[in-house]
Amino acid sequence: MAGRAAVPEVIWTRPERTGRGPKPAFTRADIAAAAVRLADAQGLDGVSMRHVAAELGCGTMSLYNYVPRKEDLYELMVDAVGGEHELWEPGGDWRADMRRVAYQTRAAMHRHPWLPRLMSPVYGFSPNALRYLEHCMACMDPFDAPYGTKLELLGMLNGCVTTYVSTELSTTERARSLPWSEEQENAVRIAYLGSQVASGAYPRLAAAFMEDAGPIDMEAVFDRMLDRVLDGFEPRSEGSGNQ
Amino acid sequence: MAGRAAVPEVIWTRPERTGRGPKPAFTRADIAAAAVRLADAQGLDGVSMRHVAAELGCGTMSLYNYVPRKEDLYELMVDAVGGEHELWEPGGDWRADMRRVAYQTRAAMHRHPWLPRLMSPVYGFSPNALRYLEHCMACMDPFDAPYGTKLELLGMLNGCVTTYVSTELSTTERARSLPWSEEQENAVRIAYLGSQVASGAYPRLAAAFMEDAGPIDMEAVFDRMLDRVLDGFEPRSEGSGNQ
DNA sequence: TCCTAGTTACGTACAGCGTACGTAGTGCGC
DNA sequence: GCGCACTACGTACGCTGTACGTAACTAGGA
């Protein structure tokens, strides 16, 4: 009687199965998997309630029996990918362990290029997110700091990895929704950048443009970034090679 | 004759005004300002071609004379906010200058909470983005490092600030599109988190939950984060106070 | 045992979106 | 002054999320 919309719902508090009625045709895992499959194949914009329903082989509105709002579908997707994280027995070297975590996160984002766009702290309470969190905390057991600091480290690491991979993927992912190719777009933008820089208004950018020391090793850049983040929390390090 | 869709267009290469025809009723700045006004007032989802056109007082499709695709409207918005950055004569202390840049970015995101969602490296070539870039480079003149390293620093700083502010704003911004209040949603999520943690499956999270050393000073957290990023690029520092 | 209430399934419908297209009017360059 | 490129914008299409109504189904309480 009190309007159904007025009470907040978090999908994880909803029981997946209640007593009454016909048994559901799908599990949440089925639905998440279907959505992830679709997003991997067609990009995040390919994930519509209709498409996911079709992928599952049911009517569009039937999906709403499982997922009250589309955003909850997103939450299921993020949680499903979180379940792909393989956890291990931390080895005592927390920096090495956290690097491994970061590499896994990056790999997951490469497998699922739509993931960075969905990364949000509000999804941090899903079952797999909690498992992941606990695991990271276990990795940091040897790191003598308050939990608050460890959470800051984790937030910063995830933030950096997310924006890093976003940059890695941005041109490629963007091309998916454009009527022209990625290379064409890049060429036009670079040409424009060149023309602007050549105007003389941006001497340092011009210099940076000239510098251009060969091809960029993205792997090395990522590595350096991790070092820098970790260094910020434990300054003493044995020559992590700041060039 | 060669399909118009096949050739890439970057809005900045389009001349704002060509010779022929009646004079345009609006400038790009007008349009960007209208869109920004709308986004500030109603959130990014309030920015539709129809709404922006209405805000400007013209027909929906007239907008397409100025902005070929909606994404270009976004690019105009980001550029407009980039124009709000106040630039100054760098003072020689590049760390202090970069901190000031970061604080300005954060302030801009607080003024325009939709900005983090639109932050994308592909918008990095707009006129105001170039001015901003050049200014940051000028700030880093005293920092003896190759331009590549300076760009890495800038990318990392911007990434951290963006994700940091996203976190700051996430619950508030999210509430805009929900049928219930932010506080209600938080309460439900926290309650769920508590019940999960109380299950005993996540001992370290439970401990972290217990620790809870009083209210969090977001300002101090932001400050520490900046220090850590900068420390990662210049390890030697005179007691920047790690915790 | 049957009844009933809660659940699943899903077709229809609506408001809103981005934008392709066609038409009418306008003013600069030749 | 002719023509063409430009502005202006109404209409229309396909898509979206989802509210609502109806029919089938089944577990729990009497």
Side-chain angles (χ1 to χ4, degrees), chain A residues 32-237:
Chain A
V36 167
R37 226 177 305 132
L38 255 171
D40 288 346
Q42 309 181 27
L44 194 54
D45 295 339
V47 178
S48 71
M49 297 303 272
R50 278 169 242 262
H51 287 166
V52 173
E55 176 83 12
L56 287 166
C58 71
T60 305
M61 294 313 290
S62 306
L63 247 191
Y64 282 90
N65 288 319
Y66 302 87
V67 172
R69 306 174 314 118
K70 187 181 182 193
E71 182 146 5
D72 293 304
L73 182 61
Y74 287 151
E75 192 155 355
L76 287 186
M77 293 170 68
V78 174
D79 182 65
V81 174
E84 294 177 10
H85 261 106
E86 58 153 321
L87 312 184
W88 64 89
E89 200 59 42
D93 181 351
W94 68 269
R95 285 180 58 115
D97 281 332
M98 291 313 289
R99 291 179 69 93
R100 188 166 161 194
V101 167
Y103 268 95
Q104 276 199 24
T105 305
R106 183 181 176 219
M109 289 178 174
H110 281 159
R111 282 196 303 275
H112 309 292
W114 42 269
L115 191 53
R117 260 178 63 185
L118 288 191
M119 274 298 180
S120 158
V122 291
Y123 296 157
F125 300 114
S126 77
N128 281 317
L130 290 179
R131 284 199 329 148
Y132 162 85
L133 251 176
E134 179 72 19
H135 176 251
C136 288
M137 285 304 179
C139 289
M140 283 188 285
D141 270 344
F143 174 31
D144 184 29
Y147 281 109
T149 304
K150 294 181 182 182
L151 286 172
E152 283 180 29
L153 190 159
L154 198 56
M156 198 159 146
L157 199 63
N158 274 330
C160 286
V161 171
T162 302
T163 54
Y164 181 86
V165 179
S166 289
T167 309
E168 270 187 308
L169 299 176
S170 62
T171 55
T172 308
E173 276 308 288
R174 205 180 128 75
R176 205 192 282 274
S177 64
L178 291 179
W180 49 75
S181 83
E182 174 191 349
E183 289 77 17
Q184 284 179 308
E185 164 117 0
N186 281 353
V188 169
R189 287 196 117 93
I190 297 286
Y192 169 70
L193 177 60
S195 76
Q196 288 299 299
V197 156
S199 77
Y202 313 104
R204 291 168 188 84
L205 293 188
F209 216 49
M210 290 297 109
E211 187 183 77
D212 183 34
I216 310 173
D217 181 351
M218 290 303 259
E219 220 64 34
V221 175
F222 186 71
D223 237 47
R224 272 200 299 274
M225 186 206 65
L226 294 186
D227 270 327
R228 282 163 180 154
V229 172
L230 297 173
D231 282 350
F233 287 83
E234 194 199 38
R236 55 202 166 280
S237 72

